[in-house]
Amino acid sequence: MSLDKSKEVDTRTRILDASGELFRRRGYSGTGLKAILAASDAAYGSLYYFFPGGKEELAAATLRAGGVVYRELVEAFFPEGGDVVNATQVFFEGAATMVEMTDYADACPIATVALEVASTSEAMRQAAAEAFESWLEVLERRFREAGISSVRAREVAVEFFCAIEGAFLLSRTLRSTAPIVIAGRASSAVVAAALAEPS
Amino acid sequence: MSLDKSKEVDTRTRILDASGELFRRRGYSGTGLKAILAASDAAYGSLYYFFPGGKEELAAATLRAGGVVYRELVEAFFPEGGDVVNATQVFFEGAATMVEMTDYADACPIATVALEVASTSEAMRQAAAEAFESWLEVLERRFREAGISSVRAREVAVEFFCAIEGAFLLSRTLRSTAPIVIAGRASSAVVAAALAEPS
DNA sequence: TACTGAGTAGAGCGATCACTCAAGTGCTCG
DNA sequence: CGAGCACTTGAGTGATCGCTCTACTCAGTA
């Protein structure tokens, strides 16, 4: 395609980037295609060329893309063989910083849409479920590698997830990072306790 | 008004009931006024008579009403002088049952709308924040009364909230009650540990 | 030069959106 | 009875929704 155009980004990616930001901030129904098109400097024709299924297909693809980005983020914070207790603490601190820096707009790229469409669109619900599941798998694997039993590793991963997602919700609603800080301390304590259990 | 009409419910309440169910399931933007009107068997005029501010005022009132109902629910599960560890366990079990019985549609009456409007409508964000805060206050008070220190009581209340809200999100998305069960076990353990701390 | 296919462009479509408003209904008063 | 008030009714408004469709640009190829 392009050999030296390091700055230019193709239209499909621009649309996906714009929809990712808008969907997570305003939700699925709250985001119009016109807004996405304007933000990505694209036309209707391009959107329907890349996403023939329309808004729903675009949103599912956006959820998948957001899921991958966040999974890689978790992998970056939890490197193989690293200290999972410290990683947990640092992860929550990073989340608090990000939420505050974006004025409580950007938190989870999936949650807002997931709640909105869970009882409405099976295709989108599944895309969200796969994203969440991929994060849980990374966490579970790291916890297992750190010596936590298989069963407990899954549980601790779920508890980690619930803590961060609940904290995101409360933080954005109250406009305070305190819930994320509290949830972070609690979660790293939970991970530490699980590590200390007899395997 | 009415002396013996035990079955009839006034229009304002019917509208609020219908909007409560629809908003929590489909979100704010995803719910049209026509759908609310049809579900509550009311007309446009009635809606704008009781909520002159239109959809936004209706949604704020709906959030407030849902907040009260849920606060009373928490108070019912956590009676004064009761066993807070057991109450936590039973609360999560009840939540799991409710979510499953409604086919993963009804969980938190606030969360879906809160995430959607947190960065969009200050009036609605505040209504959601007040609802959440009222739940936290009930939990915090009960934990304090049970002997947990003031600072820890607030933290445990926040952790409780994050656990249940995160579990609701994961449960509805995965269509499984397992996250709620796991979060319930973890939360009651957290409460028990806080009780055991030196006051 | 002519052709092809990938991608762009945006006017226009019917449907639906939140909302307004003038004309009601039925109840409680004097 | 009739005035006044609380509430209801639903057709109509302009705006915006997701989406379609035809026409277009332009690089690559023969």
Side-chain angles (χ1 to χ4, degrees):
Chain A
M1 303 281 166
S2 59
L3 291 171
D4 46 17
K5 301 183 174 183
S6 54
K7 264 294 172 61
E8 302 209 5
V9 181
D10 64 89
T11 306
R12 208 190 106 102
T13 305
R14 280 192 340 260
I15 292 175
L16 241 20
D17 286 348
S19 67
E21 194 171 302
L22 288 168
F23 279 145
R24 92 175 63 176
R25 291 188 184 199
R26 312 193 219 207
Y28 177 72
S29 303
T31 304
L33 293 184
K34 276 225 172 87
I36 295 172
L37 262 9
S40 53
D41 198 36
Y44 268 101
S46 300
L47 196 159
Y48 280 86
Y49 177 79
F50 292 112
F51 306 98
K55 194 184 186 185
E56 197 164 347
E57 181 179 338
L58 167 63
T62 304
L63 290 176
R64 255 176 258 119
V68 169
V69 169
Y70 237 67
R71 198 202 64 223
E72 289 169 352
L73 194 73
V74 175
E75 280 169 344
F77 274 84
F78 287 80
E80 259 195 89
D83 175 355
V84 290
V85 176
N86 186 61
T88 300
Q89 179 67 27
V90 174
F91 185 89
F92 275 80
E93 282 166 8
T97 303
M98 179 190 63
V99 168
E100 195 170 24
M101 280 197 339
T102 60
D103 196 34
Y104 301 95
D106 286 346
C108 176
I110 314 284
T112 307
V113 176
L115 280 181
E116 201 179 346
V117 304
S119 309
T120 278
S121 159
E122 185 56 19
M124 295 175 61
R125 199 219 98 226
Q126 270 187 23
E130 281 160 25
F132 285 163
E133 196 59 69
S134 79
W135 307 349
L136 289 174
E137 276 166 19
V138 172
L139 289 170
E140 186 185 341
R141 188 178 320 119
R142 291 291 176 266
F143 292 147
R144 254 193 288 111
E145 289 166 358
I148 300 177
S149 78
S150 199
V151 172
R152 280 294 290 147
R154 169 73 184 186
E155 289 177 0
V156 175
V158 169
E159 291 166 29
F160 182 111
F161 177 96
C162 293
I164 187 75
E165 289 291 354
F168 276 155
L169 165 64
L170 192 55
S171 173
R172 289 192 62 208
T173 305
L174 298 186
R175 295 185 69 83
S176 158
T177 56
I180 303 177
V181 173
I182 293 172
R185 270 203 301 265
S187 294
S188 55
V190 164
V191 174
L195 271 178
E197 287 172 19
S199 69
Chain B
M1 304 280 163
S2 59
L3 291 173
D4 48 16
K5 301 185 175 182
S6 55
K7 265 294 174 57
E8 301 210 5
V9 181
D10 64 89
T11 306
R12 208 190 107 102
T13 305
R14 281 192 339 260
I15 293 175
L16 240 21
D17 285 349
S19 67
E21 193 170 303
L22 288 168
F23 279 145
R24 96 177 59 177
R25 293 187 183 199
R26 315 193 217 209
Y28 176 73
S29 303
T31 304
L33 293 185
K34 275 225 174 88
I36 295 172
L37 262 9
S40 53
D41 197 36
Y44 267 101
S46 300
L47 195 159
Y48 279 87
Y49 177 78
F50 292 111
F51 307 97
K55 193 183 186 186
E56 197 164 347
E57 183 180 337
L58 168 63
T62 305
L63 291 176
R64 254 176 259 121
V68 170
V69 169
Y70 236 66
R71 197 202 65 223
E72 289 169 352
L73 195 73
V74 175
E75 280 169 344
F77 274 85
F78 286 80
E80 261 196 88
D83 176 354
V84 290
V85 176
N86 186 60
T88 300
Q89 180 68 27
V90 174
F91 185 89
F92 276 80
E93 283 166 8
T97 302
M98 179 189 64
V99 168
E100 194 170 25
M101 279 198 339
T102 60
D103 197 33
Y104 301 95
D106 285 346
C108 177
I110 314 284
T112 308
V113 176
L115 280 181
E116 200 180 346
V117 304
S119 309
T120 276
S121 159
E122 184 58 16
M124 294 174 61
R125 198 218 98 227
Q126 270 187 22
E130 280 160 27
F132 285 165
E133 196 59 69
S134 79
W135 307 349
L136 290 175
E137 275 166 19
V138 172
L139 289 170
E140 184 186 341
R141 188 177 321 120
R142 292 290 177 267
F143 292 148
R144 252 192 290 111
E145 289 165 357
I148 300 176
S149 78
S150 200
V151 172
R152 281 295 289 147
R154 169 75 184 185
E155 289 178 0
V156 174
V158 168
E159 291 166 30
F160 181 111
F161 176 96
C162 293
I164 187 77
E165 289 291 352
F168 276 155
L169 165 64
L170 191 55
S171 174
R172 289 192 63 207
T173 306
L174 298 187
R175 292 185 71 82
S176 158
T177 56
I180 303 178
V181 173
I182 292 172
R185 271 204 300 265
S187 294
S188 55
V190 163
V191 174
L195 270 179
E197 286 172 19
S199 69

